[in-house]
Amino acid sequence: MPTRAMRRLYGSAGAVLLATALAACAGTPSDPAGSSSQPPSAAASTQPVPTPMPDPVLLEPNVKDGATNIKVNTVVSVKASSGTLTKVKLSYTNTTRQGRKHQGTVAGKISKDRTTWTAGDRLEPAAAYKLISTGKNTVNESKTATTTFRTHNLPLSKQTYPQLYPLKGSLVGVGMPVVLTFDVPIKNKAAFEKNLHVTSSPAQAGSWHWYSNTQVRYRPQKFWKPGTKVKVTADINGLDAGRGVYGQNSASTHFKVGRSQVTKINLSSDVAKVYRNGKLARTIYVSGGKPGWQTRSGVKLVMDKLYVTKMTNTMIGAQEHYSLRVRYAMRITQSGEFLHAAPWNAAHFGRRNASHGCVGMSTGNAAWLFNHTLIGDPVVTTGTSRHMEYGNGYGDWNMSYAKYKKGSAL
């Protein structure tokens, strides 16, 4: 409180001000520490602020819902943002050639970060598709989106069908190429070749070679190693072949290479020698094509084996009449050369060439060779001035590997 002396010095008004100041310095009963109380606005700011809810996961396919006329070369995908994917299913319904309804699914794969799903195949023509995508956001709230669409219609003339040879599970000779044939011509050869895959065990270098717009083949740099296992995949379903044509479906095959057997025929001496795994297994006296009907020199492969077949002069356009029931026939060219039993030419074996192009031998030797031969076994002929054409049967080995590689579209 102000003293009497203070009151005289400052007067009554000054005394009140001084008393107020002293009271502020001394504190009040409600604030024993002497600190000032906070204003109401500062106290209100310490209250907790509500946390905003996370956005739901956004599922975005690369095809629009309700779309029609989607091209079959489309690879469907789904992208998730503000979350991750948990499950995606792509199914379809179409009509088979026989007019029956068919239902199928397209497998796919979710990326490691679970933000993208990609289909493992392209689409089928004239099909109704349903895409069901499910994902979750950062607080595991689930969301599902459904997308439906249709693909464009394609007549068979706009679909190319692949056929792979050798057939699945085949045992073949060391010279056997992979032969892929299409029923509708291919324009985009490079795009198709990128989707052709050959793996061999043990691994061996090799190349594709396009013989035409409807056939491509693959051969190794050298003859296959005996025992090699080969897998081939033609991933061309829905692939754009050019000129409005698309791959009709994909194809695959696998085969094994047997022992090495190479038959070397010298028609200047009319002797054939059969080598198995590099060792001479049999010597056979033969007779080849006479003048005007010379047997081709070069590397040929056994293409087919027929226990019995009929051969006539009209089949090759010869004027001399004959009609023969031939046994143990092994085709080595598309044009009609065979290795076969020719007992009617027995007097000529090992002496002279007297056939219309085939290589004949005794029935016993033909039976032995027939029973020990695989499709794809090389037959190397020398001693004539007529040469083997590249595309006449499996003539793949009549060109260098460097030239063969130039036939690749890549």
Side-chain angles (χ1 to χ4, degrees), residues 269-273 283-287 348-351 359-362 365:
S269 59
D270 291 321
V271 175
K273 294 186 177 182
T283 298
I284 302 173
Y285 294 101
V286 300
S287 177
H348 303 297
F349 297 154
R351 295 183 175 88
V359 175
M361 63 198 74
S362 70
N365 280 328

Side-chain angles (χ1 to χ4, degrees), residues 101-122:
K101 289 290 184 182
H102 170 74
Q103 292 183 332
T105 58
V106 181
K109 186 176 181 180
I110 296 178
S111 61
K112 289 184 178 180
D113 62 2
R114 306 196 70 82
T115 61
T116 304
W117 178 89
T118 306
D121 199 359
R122 303 172 195 87

Side-chain angles (χ1 to χ4, degrees), residues 338-399:
F338 285 81
L339 309 177
H340 63 75
W344 54 86
N345 265 348
H348 303 297
F349 297 154
R351 295 183 175 88
R352 66 186 62 85
N353 297 312
S355 78
H356 285 84
C358 293
V359 175
M361 63 198 74
S362 70
T363 301
N365 280 328
W368 181 90
L369 187 59
F370 188 96
N371 291 328
H372 288 83
T373 292
L374 296 172
I375 302 299
D377 277 347
V379 177
V380 183
T381 305
T382 58
T384 73
S385 60
R386 188 181 186 188
H387 299 288
M388 178 68 174
E389 304 88 355
Y390 298 141
N392 188 1
Y394 301 148
D396 303 66
W397 296 97
N398 291 284
M399 66 178 82

Side-chain angles (χ1 to χ4, degrees), residues 164-172 178 199 228-233 251-257:
L164 267 174
Y165 193 76
L167 300 178
K168 292 180 179 179
S170 298
L171 183 67
V172 302
V178 176
T199 57
T228 298
K229 295 180 179 179
V230 184
K231 293 182 179 180
V232 187
T233 301
S252 65
T253 191
H254 59 88
F255 58 91
K256 184 178 179 179
V257 180

